[in-house]
Amino acid sequence: MRIRVIHGPNLNLLGLREPGLYGTDTLEDLNRKIEELAHTLGIEVEVFQSNSEGEIVDLIQQCVGHADALVINPAAYTHYSIAIRDAVAAIRLPVVEVHLSNIHAREEFRHRSVVAPVACGQIAGFGSNSYLLGLQAAKQIVEEARS
Ligand code: DQA
C-alpha cells in the first residue's frame, strides 16, 4: 500500500513558524515520524511539500494509478482553494485532511475548510500526531475498501 502525504504552504518553516501554534518539530522531524510510522504499519509513504497551489494540484492528480490514498495538510489553501478541493474530488481516492492546530478554535476565517466536504474526514489539533492519526485512518480506509 502506498500513501502520499502533501504538506501545503509555509509548512517548510515548521519549527520556526509560530511554535506556540504549530509546535517545535521541524518539517524534517515530522517527516521522520511519518516515515517511522509507515515502516511500523508496513506501508510505503511518499512525502511532498509545496508552497504553490498549482504544484499541489499536480501532486494530487499524480495520485491516480500511483497511490492508494492521500493525507494532505492544505494549510492556508484549506480555507479558499477551490482548485485543490476539485483535485481532491476528482481523484476518487480516500483523502484525509490534517491540520496541526485546531482550526475550529482559531480565527473565524480558519473554521471553514473547502476541502473537508470532499475528503473522508478531517483531523485537526493534535500537532504532529494529526499526521500520524491521518496516516492510520487512510490505511484503514484502504484496507476496509479492499476487504
Ligand atoms: C494549518 C492551519 C491553517 O489555517 C494555516 O493556514 C496553516 C497550517 C495547520 O496545520 O494547523 O498554514 O493547516
Side-chain angles (χ1 to χ4, degrees), residues 9-11 17 22 73-76 78-79 98-101 103 106 110:
N10 297 307
L11 294 169
R17 181 189 176 204
Y22 299 120
N73 182 350
T78 306
H79 312 299
V98 299
H99 298 283
L100 296 152
S101 64
I103 55 173
R106 298 182 58 194
R110 295 187 204 273

Side-chain angles (χ1 to χ4, degrees), residues 6 38 81 85 97 108:
I6 302 176
S81 174
R85 174 201 169 109
E97 177 185 326
E108 207 170 325

Side-chain angles (χ1 to χ4, degrees), residues 87-116:
V88 165
I91 59 171
R92 309 178 105 229
L93 286 173
V95 177
V96 179
E97 177 185 326
V98 299
H99 298 283
L100 296 152
S101 64
N102 179 357
I103 55 173
H104 303 286
R106 298 182 58 194
E107 303 96 320
E108 207 170 325
F109 67 86
R110 295 187 204 273
H111 295 181
R112 174 160 176 257
S113 166
V114 298
V115 176

Side-chain angles (χ1 to χ4, degrees), residues 4-8 27 31 46-50 59 62 66:
R4 181 166 285 201
V5 177
I6 302 176
H7 304 286
L27 187 60
N31 288 343
E46 35 179 42
V47 184
F48 297 90
Q49 189 277 328
S50 175
L59 288 166
Q62 285 162 13
H66 177 77

